[in-house]
Amino acid sequence: MLTANEAFRKFRSNLELTQKEQDDASRRQKEIRGVMDDGFNISEDFLTGSYRRWTKTKPLKDVDIFCVLHNDEKPKYRDGKQPGVLLGAVEQTLAAKYGSSCVSRQRRAVTVEFSSGGDDERVVSFDVVPAFAKGDHYEIPDTATTSGWTNTNPKIHAEKATAANNAFGGEWKGMVRMAKSWNRANDKPVRPSFLLEVMALEILRPPFGGDFPYEFMSYFATAADRIDEVWPDPAGLGPPVNDTMTASDKAKAKQALINAHHKIREAIQLSRTGRSGDSLRAYRELFGQYFPLS
Ligand SMILES: Nc1ncnc2c1ncn2[C@@H]1O[C@H](COP(=O)(O)OP(=O)(O)O)[C@@H](O)[C@H]1O
Ligand SMILES: [Mg+2]
């Protein structure tokens, strides 16, 4: 029988990117870049977001691809234009190749869905984010802000995640992936999932205590207490990360986080009283199918 810590370590590894997933992401990246070249003058493209930071959970969805447009595209898509003009053009370009039923417009990106063909190591969707370079960072369309554009610096987000991971004995990114797995297994009470990561920058205080159940119990308890605070962009450029959560969304998220905290306390109690199998099953109910029972 696995101990709880062994099970959490296995869970963490189950959520790591495989070579096959990385190869698939990079193949799609090249393909999407090719399609985007048909519609735009692109100066560079790169995979970014939680995929690039190694903080994404599975199955792999919504991998972010930044397509940085050349400045000569600004008169057409940026200067005095609403963000929908650029997002609409990206949508059209991608739909010409993938079909409009597989392409949809989001707040800051256009999503392309792919069939997994039954292979769970295929990436099932990508978020194509058109961007303009702006000084040392980027500007991306954002239909939910009044200006219509959001400044962002993925490099700073990546540096902060790496620093947090190093300070936390190399366990921080794994814990973020596991927390996001909890969110998915519970109908995403916390939105966007990036918020769980931004909260972890403050909540997971080093050093790592060596015991996953206790670390998660305290993470969920503190996250429940603090979910209704304003959580600014860690790079200090974009709008608050939880700007789309309503008061009612926050109340639901708080309750879900409290439930998670209680469930972990119960699981710890089960293993203390010799019911290790029941304890692992409780963790699996909480964190979903990637949590191992053996
Ligand atoms: N409010 C924000 N301000 C600035 N940048 C943001 C904001 N929200 C998200 N980002 C950046 O955009 C990336 C992609 O966003 P999203 O797909 O929602 O998150 P993730 O890929 O981390 O799950 C994030 O990883 C982060 O670097
Ligand atoms: Mg993303």
Side-chain angles (χ1 to χ4, degrees):
M1 178 75 64
L2 292 175
T3 66
N5 266 323
E6 284 164 352
F8 273 97
R9 263 184 234 116
K10 201 165 172 186
F11 179 32
R12 176 196 60 194
S13 313
N14 288 347
L15 298 175
E16 253 154 41
L17 298 172
T18 64
Q19 191 58 49
K20 231 179 128 193
E21 285 165 333
Q22 294 176 67
D23 292 346
D24 193 48
S26 129
R27 176 179 67 89
R28 289 294 193 196
Q29 175 194 2
K30 289 195 192 89
E31 181 189 294
I32 289 171
R33 164 66 191 257
V35 177
M36 288 292 284
D37 279 334
D38 290 342
F40 304 91
N41 185 359
I42 307 276
S43 59
E44 63 166 334
D45 67 290
F46 51 89
L47 295 175
T48 182
S50 51
Y51 173 85
R52 182 68 177 269
R53 291 192 300 275
W54 218 252
T55 53
K56 202 160 196 53
T57 197
K58 289 197 193 184
L60 273 184
K61 280 174 59 183
D62 304 337
V63 168
D64 296 290
I65 303 178
F66 261 44
C67 288
V68 185
L69 273 60
H70 202 277
N71 276 339
D72 65 13
E73 295 279 33
K74 276 189 157 175
K76 202 164 165 194
Y77 296 115
R78 172 64 186 96
D79 302 336
K81 301 286 196 270
Q82 294 294 316
V85 175
L86 177 53
L87 289 172
V90 172
E91 184 181 21
Q92 232 177 22
T93 300
L94 293 169
K97 159 86 179 175
Y98 298 110
S100 52
S101 62
C102 299
V103 174
S104 57
R105 224 194 279 191
Q106 315 295 330
R107 168 180 177 179
R108 300 181 177 126
V110 177
T111 303
V112 187
E113 281 174 54
F114 295 101
S115 147
S116 72
D119 180 346
D120 61 11
E121 288 188 282
R122 289 272 187 85
V123 184
V124 294
S125 63
F126 288 81
D127 283 347
V128 181
V129 186
F132 285 105
K134 187 178 176 187
D136 64 351
H137 61 272
Y138 301 94
E139 191 174 43
I140 59 176
D142 188 340
T143 54
T145 53
T146 41
S147 80
W149 300 84
T150 273
N151 290 305
T152 187
N153 192 337
K155 199 161 155 245
I156 294 190
H157 297 152
E159 285 166 2
K160 292 208 164 187
T162 298
N165 195 52
N166 292 341
F168 209 68
E171 301 291 356
W172 188 90
K173 292 189 179 190
M175 282 194 61
V176 169
R177 287 199 297 275
M178 294 188 266
K180 288 180 177 176
S181 192
W182 161 80
N183 199 35
R184 278 228 195 139
N186 290 274
D187 288 333
K188 289 213 183 161
V190 178
R191 279 174 203 262
S193 63
F194 183 50
L195 176 59
L196 285 167
E197 181 167 347
V198 169
M199 288 198 289
L201 286 172
E202 291 220 3
I203 292 177
L204 292 179
R205 291 259 163 231
F208 174 60
D211 191 293
F212 286 103
Y214 281 96
E215 292 290 351
F216 274 113
M217 196 164 67
S218 103
Y219 172 79
F220 285 127
T222 312
D225 273 350
R226 299 188 54 187
I227 185 85
D228 30 29
E229 291 178 13
V230 173
W231 288 90
D233 168 20
L237 289 167
V241 176
N242 55 344
D243 65 350
T244 51
M245 281 183 99
T246 63
S248 134
D249 293 337
K250 287 177 186 170
K252 280 187 200 136
K254 190 187 276 283
Q255 194 53 55
L257 290 159
I258 291 172
N259 293 348
H261 164 186
H262 289 166
K263 186 98 178 170
I264 291 187
R265 203 171 50 201
E266 282 163 33
I268 292 173
Q269 201 52 35
L270 285 168
S271 78
R272 265 202 207 126
T273 53
R275 295 170 60 190
S276 304
D278 290 337
S279 168
L280 295 183
R281 274 186 286 279
Y283 288 126
R284 190 194 183 90
E285 268 175 38
L286 189 61
F287 286 99
Q289 53 164 334
Y290 289 90
F291 193 94
L293 295 176
S294 60

